[in-house]
Amino acid sequence: MSLPRTGVAEVVVPVLVRDLTPTDLPACTWSGSTAHLMQVERELVRAAAGDVDYLAVCTPADVAVAIGGIDYQVTAGVGTLWQLAVLPALQSCGLGTTLIRAAEDRIRSRGLHRAELAVEESNPRARALYERLGYLAHGRRPDAWDVQAPDGSLRRYETMCTLMHKDLS
């Protein structure tokens, strides 16, 4: 293969979407702090119980490059997408779209016809993705969670989120 003069070439790599497992977590440090990954590990226990699905988009080397959850307990009859993340170096490569479409398929496979999510108002890039995939804004709400500082201490992060939904029927 010859490279264009710019030195840039397009590479197409197939990906696989599967359930995230605890053995994936050491390679997912890009998605958040140690405290965040401990929370994801707790969510995997809920996944084993069927309350949530937690998905991973993986490379041919079986490395997770996008992850995200679907919670079926937040609102009856709805799959709530949350903790969606794509390896920063691979954002805008279609991995978020792949993850969300796989999540929607999981929701449909449970006989449900609605997906919901909340996106931080300070994240217009993510909101644009969700809108491109057919999600509609229907409200706002404050949200907060603990974040871990480099020294290991926790602080409360507060934000405003736009609530979005999509009919999957």
Side-chain angles (χ1 to χ4, degrees):
M1 163 175 71
S2 64
L3 295 177
R5 290 180 187 249
T6 62
V8 176
E10 180 177 308
V11 177
V12 178
V13 177
V15 293
L16 167 73
V17 180
R18 62 168 173 74
D19 291 323
L20 185 74
T21 68
T23 59
D24 293 314
L25 296 180
C28 291
T29 56
W30 54 265
S31 72
S33 67
T34 302
H36 168 73
L37 291 174
M38 290 171 58
Q39 174 63 33
V40 172
E41 190 168 29
R42 287 189 294 274
E43 296 301 336
L44 294 179
V45 173
R46 292 183 63 215
D51 295 335
V52 304
D53 282 318
Y54 217 110
L55 305 178
V57 179
C58 298
T59 67
D62 203 31
V63 175
V65 292
I67 61 174
I70 312 153
D71 195 323
Y72 302 102
Q73 304 300 308
V74 175
T75 304
V78 173
T80 301
L81 284 69
W82 99 116
Q83 294 186 344
L84 304 174
V86 175
L87 179 70
L90 296 177
Q91 290 177 354
S92 298
C93 293
L95 297 171
T97 297
T98 298
L99 176 62
I100 293 166
R101 287 187 175 146
E104 292 170 352
D105 288 345
R106 286 288 181 100
I107 293 166
R108 282 187 202 94
S109 75
R110 287 184 176 233
L112 306 176
H113 301 286
R114 185 178 174 105
E116 295 182 344
L117 57 82
V119 59
E120 287 185 77
E121 291 184 354
S122 62
N123 192 351
R125 186 173 178 190
R127 181 174 174 162
L129 168 64
Y130 305 142
E131 288 174 340
R132 191 170 63 251
L133 294 175
Y135 286 79
L136 302 171
H138 65 89
R140 303 172 72 219
R141 77 157 189 251
D143 203 350
W145 55 86
D146 292 332
V147 295
Q148 188 175 21
D151 68 1
S153 65
L154 296 178
R155 70 171 178 81
R156 196 72 175 161
Y157 174 78
E158 296 182 4
T159 188
M160 182 61 72
C161 291
T162 298
L163 305 175
M164 304 183 82
H165 69 271
K166 180 179 178 180
D167 180 7
L168 301 177
S169 49

